Amino acid sequence: MIELIPAIDIIGGQCVRLTKGDYDQKTVYRDSPAEVAKEFEAIGFKRLHVVDLDGAKSKHIVNSPVLQRITSETHLTVDFGGGIKTDEDIETAFQCGAAMVTIGSIAVTDPNRFLGWLDKYGADRLILGADVRNGKISINGWKEDSAEDLLPFLRKYIDAGVKNVLCTEISKDGTLNGPAVELYKKVMDAYPTLHLIASGGVSGIDDIHALEAAGIPAVVFGKAIYEGRIDLHELINSKS
């Protein structure tokens, strides 16, 4: 059964969504991410994906108070990403209640630091963020494209012990045009034991079923919720 992970993206303490990672294409949906998180928990979700978009842009955690409120007011297992660049950043995320952290840019720009964190915190607490645009890994809030190709990038860290990968196809993110199922299938064919979390483009329950049918272990989705494209009670009941 596919793991269902709703997403909360934060700018200025508010719950927002971007289109294709463009900060100029921002929609504010709710003023209180913590209240949204509590609603997800009440419906029956167990996991939550939280992204500090201010942090991703600023290259350091910005919205840690919002994370702390979410984790203190719910029992959700929260994974948190965005702006984690230093030892202090990752410690702040864990101290504010994150069960897991998503690390993307540092895995590209400072591999030794990432490997040090993997050794210190363990593979169960780290998610490797692999944000893809035109086949290349993108970094720093999707503002820059690296020279790293997806599959070799993943191989390097899977060999080092990584178990969890969040893969976002940037061209799909926030578009409601359907997820990059073939991309995720390619990853799973290459690394069948990986706990791959698909992200980007989910427009409705049928897309989630398609990912599940393709053997994708988990999915993150956000905009389809906020735009009323997914009946969350129906979705939870279909997986219970």
Side-chain angles (χ1 to χ4, degrees):
M1 183 181 298
I2 194 166
E3 185 177 20
L4 304 171
I5 310 173
I8 292 177
D9 291 357
I10 305 167
I11 291 179
Q14 297 176 306
C15 181
V16 308
R17 297 299 288 179
L18 306 181
T19 300
K20 299 183 182 180
D22 185 349
Y23 284 75
D24 292 327
Q25 296 188 62
K26 178 186 76 174
T27 304
V28 177
Y29 287 100
R30 299 282 292 275
D31 287 332
S32 174
E35 292 303 315
V36 176
K38 286 190 276 190
E39 291 169 14
F40 288 151
E41 184 177 39
I43 290 168
F45 289 99
K46 305 298 184 186
R47 277 280 301 271
L48 179 66
H49 176 63
V50 176
V51 181
D52 182 353
L53 289 174
D54 290 316
K57 192 173 185 179
S58 302
K59 302 184 182 181
H60 61 86
I61 289 179
V62 174
N63 286 290
S64 55
V66 181
L67 169 64
Q68 188 155 33
R69 186 179 169 200
I70 290 171
T71 60
S72 65
E73 295 183 13
T74 74
H75 295 95
L76 293 164
T77 298
V78 177
D79 71 78
F80 178 83
I84 298 175
K85 309 293 187 190
T86 66
D87 295 346
E88 182 180 5
D89 287 326
I90 194 169
E91 280 295 322
T92 295
F94 285 133
Q95 288 168 6
C96 289
M100 309 173 79
V101 295
T102 301
I103 308 295
S105 300
I106 286 295
V108 175
T109 62
D110 194 349
N112 288 334
R113 183 182 294 272
F114 177 83
L115 291 171
W117 289 345
L118 185 64
D119 182 60
K120 180 177 181 178
Y121 299 106
D124 292 333
R125 301 193 74 189
L126 260 63
I127 301 170
L128 175 62
D131 301 327
V132 184
R133 180 163 44 211
N134 299 320
K136 301 291 185 181
I137 301 295
S138 183
I139 61 173
N140 294 329
W142 302 349
K143 297 298 182 185
E144 304 170 40
D145 291 335
S146 75
E148 296 268 10
D149 292 311
L150 176 61
L151 292 183
F153 175 75
L154 296 182
R155 167 55 65 193
K156 175 170 57 178
Y157 288 116
I158 291 169
D159 287 347
V162 162
K163 299 177 182 177
N164 305 289
V165 170
L166 173 70
C167 186
T168 302
E169 169 50 73
I170 295 170
S171 69
K172 295 280 191 177
D173 192 69
T175 66
L176 300 173
N177 286 334
V181 178
E182 292 305 314
L183 174 68
Y184 304 131
K185 284 175 64 176
K186 185 177 178 180
V187 172
M188 291 305 301
D189 286 345
Y191 312 117
T193 63
L194 186 66
H195 187 75
L196 178 67
I197 307 166
S199 172
V202 170
S203 64
I205 291 178
D206 287 348
D207 287 334
I208 293 173
H209 291 330
L211 289 165
E212 185 172 34
I216 311 306
V219 57
V220 162
F221 51 103
K223 192 168 187 177
I225 298 171
Y226 304 115
E227 293 286 341
R229 301 287 193 95
I230 292 179
D231 183 320
L232 296 181
H233 292 91
E234 178 187 347
L235 178 60
I236 286 288
N237 291 335
S238 74
K239 299 301 175 188
S240 60

